[in-house]
Amino acid sequence: MPKVSVIIPVYGAESFIERCARSLFEQTLEDMEFIFVDDCSPDRSVEILNKVVSEYPNRNVSVWKQSINCGVSAVRELALSKATGEYLGFCDSDDWVDPNMYKTLVETAEAQDADVVGCGFWEHSIAGITERTFLHRNDSREVILSPFFFGGIYGALWNKLIKKDFFDSASQDLWKGISMWEDSCMLIPLRLQSSKTVFLDDCLYHYNVNANSITTKFSMKKVNDAIVATRRLEHYFYTEGLLNDASALINYLKIASKEVLLRFPKKENVEMWKNVFPEAKRYIMHYHPWNFILKIRAMLVSFLPSIIGVQLLKLKKSTK
């Protein structure tokens, strides 16, 4: 049994896949399994990957291919069915890792008998390199259910190591079939059930802010998936008796899941904003990512007729 199985979705990553693969194959932890899944990538990603794989004959590498493009959740579901490691790791194909990342995470997990171990990361963007570490090292229920710590370093899957036996017994299906907030939908139930979660300050992962990645492009599918994720999490909290504790998070997600609609002033978008989670308008003034002006605009769009809401959004857009 390998010590760690690392799952890597591959799609549109020809500019990054070599760097990613080499950083994985050069890990100081020897006993590892690397599971790449080609999600019908339209470029040379797999060709480049196979060339790099040939240079590391001693590494345990498999490359699987989806029959059709299905998205990251389906890729992970396939890879998880193939994983045999004692621990699970996840890496995005446009990112890379420090040589000691998985050795450090495994040693921490074993020394502290932790179900989940997370590390800090370096964020690389055109603006420069930013260090990201955990504000709270104790992964309490208050942190897990706080809207201020949703996503980001706490909700990312790629900077976590998870004990596979624990994952198999505690994982829920909230993340399956969606392409937005799937990491958080996978991690929140795991973190709530973890007997011990350890967060390290060490920045061992390199996150590439890729302007062409799926997470940075608008699509109605992403909006719909975020709405589905919100509904699934709300139902999960209800069944677990956590709805009251998670109310602030759910109210936040009901706005966050559809707030991008207000950036595109079309009648159908305004009507969708008004009709999906209509109760969320009561929490607009508490939506912390927005300043006062954005909150007032959202309130007006929520209560005014749709045609006026569209004109209001267009007016705001034209004054930028």
Side-chain angles (χ1 to χ4, degrees):
M1 175 188 293
K3 185 61 69 173
V4 178
S5 296
V6 184
I7 293 169
I8 313 99
V10 180
Y11 184 85
E14 65 180 2
S15 299
F16 312 103
I17 190 66
E18 179 174 355
R19 178 180 61 187
C20 174
R22 289 191 187 279
S23 75
L24 292 170
F25 300 156
E26 293 175 8
Q27 287 294 291
T28 54
L29 181 67
E30 292 292 333
D31 191 13
M32 299 184 68
E33 167 182 66
F34 304 96
I35 305 171
F36 293 85
V37 180
D38 171 22
D39 196 21
C40 297
S41 185
D43 58 9
R44 297 177 56 247
S45 294
V46 176
E47 177 186 341
I48 296 168
L49 171 61
N50 286 331
K51 183 178 182 299
V52 177
V53 170
S54 69
E55 298 177 26
Y56 296 85
N58 295 326
R59 281 300 194 183
N60 179 0
V61 183
S62 60
V63 182
W64 301 86
K65 181 177 175 61
Q66 296 279 64
S67 57
I68 59 173
N69 176 256
C70 298
V72 67
S73 293
V75 164
R76 287 172 176 169
E77 190 170 0
L78 171 62
L80 284 166
S81 72
K82 309 295 183 183
T84 62
E86 185 178 345
Y87 294 90
L88 296 171
F90 299 82
C91 184
D92 287 352
S93 55
D94 50 356
D95 300 337
W96 70 101
V97 296
D98 276 7
N100 292 319
M101 175 170 168
Y102 288 104
K103 184 176 182 180
T104 300
L105 296 180
V106 166
E107 288 177 347
T108 301
E110 293 181 336
Q112 302 199 39
D113 193 23
D115 291 324
V116 180
V117 180
C119 65
F121 66 93
W122 297 100
E123 182 178 285
H124 298 257
S125 70
I126 58 174
I129 304 174
T130 306
E131 183 181 38
R132 303 293 187 189
T133 57
F134 295 95
L135 181 62
H136 296 281
R137 296 280 295 276
N138 177 25
D139 198 30
S140 65
R141 178 181 292 185
E142 289 72 26
V143 170
I144 298 169
L145 300 181
S146 169
F148 294 96
F149 301 113
F150 179 81
I153 191 170
Y154 290 93
L157 194 58
W158 33 255
N159 66 331
K160 310 289 191 307
L161 187 77
I162 304 167
K163 189 180 294 184
K164 188 173 186 297
D165 286 347
F166 168 68
F167 179 91
D168 290 341
S169 64
S171 178
Q172 304 290 317
D173 291 339
L174 310 182
W175 55 277
K176 292 185 177 180
I178 58 176
S179 59
M180 279 294 290
W181 300 345
E182 69 278 3
D183 284 18
S184 291
C185 283
M186 181 184 286
L187 279 169
I188 284 176
L190 293 174
R191 291 165 61 199
L192 285 169
Q193 297 177 73
S194 173
S195 60
K196 187 168 190 179
T197 297
V198 177
F199 291 146
L200 303 176
D201 281 337
D202 310 59
C203 291
L204 304 172
Y205 191 93
H206 295 264
Y207 172 66
N208 180 41
V209 181
N210 177 10
N212 294 317
S213 88
I214 189 170
T215 58
T216 58
K217 292 182 177 180
F218 170 81
S219 74
M220 192 55 69
K221 182 183 185 323
K222 288 169 61 176
V223 175
N224 287 324
D225 283 357
I227 291 167
V228 169
T230 301
R231 288 179 172 143
R232 288 180 181 178
L233 285 168
E234 184 174 34
H235 180 72
Y236 170 74
F237 293 140
Y238 171 77
T239 59
E240 295 296 315
L242 295 171
L243 202 53
N244 186 59
D245 292 341
S247 60
L249 175 58
I250 288 299
N251 294 336
Y252 165 85
L253 294 179
K254 285 180 177 180
I255 298 174
S257 62
K258 59 177 185 171
E259 64 93 8
V260 69
L261 294 169
L262 297 186
R263 304 179 197 175
F264 299 87
K266 297 179 180 180
K267 184 179 178 182
E268 58 267 32
N269 291 348
V270 169
E271 290 181 348
M272 187 174 181
W273 163 266
K274 292 162 69 75
N275 294 329
V276 174
F277 303 132
E279 69 277 13
K281 60 179 175 285
R282 294 177 292 180
Y283 310 108
I284 287 174
M285 299 308 291
H286 300 285
Y287 187 61
H288 67 265
W290 281 344
N291 60 32
F292 181 73
I293 293 175
L294 290 176
K295 291 174 181 177
I296 293 299
R297 185 186 66 165
M299 288 289 287
L300 289 173
V301 174
S302 298
F303 287 97
L304 292 172
S306 296
I307 190 64
I308 298 177
V310 171
Q311 295 306 314
L312 176 64
L313 294 175
K314 286 183 177 179
L315 176 65
K316 178 65 178 178
K317 196 176 183 67
S318 66
T319 59
K320 287 184 179 179

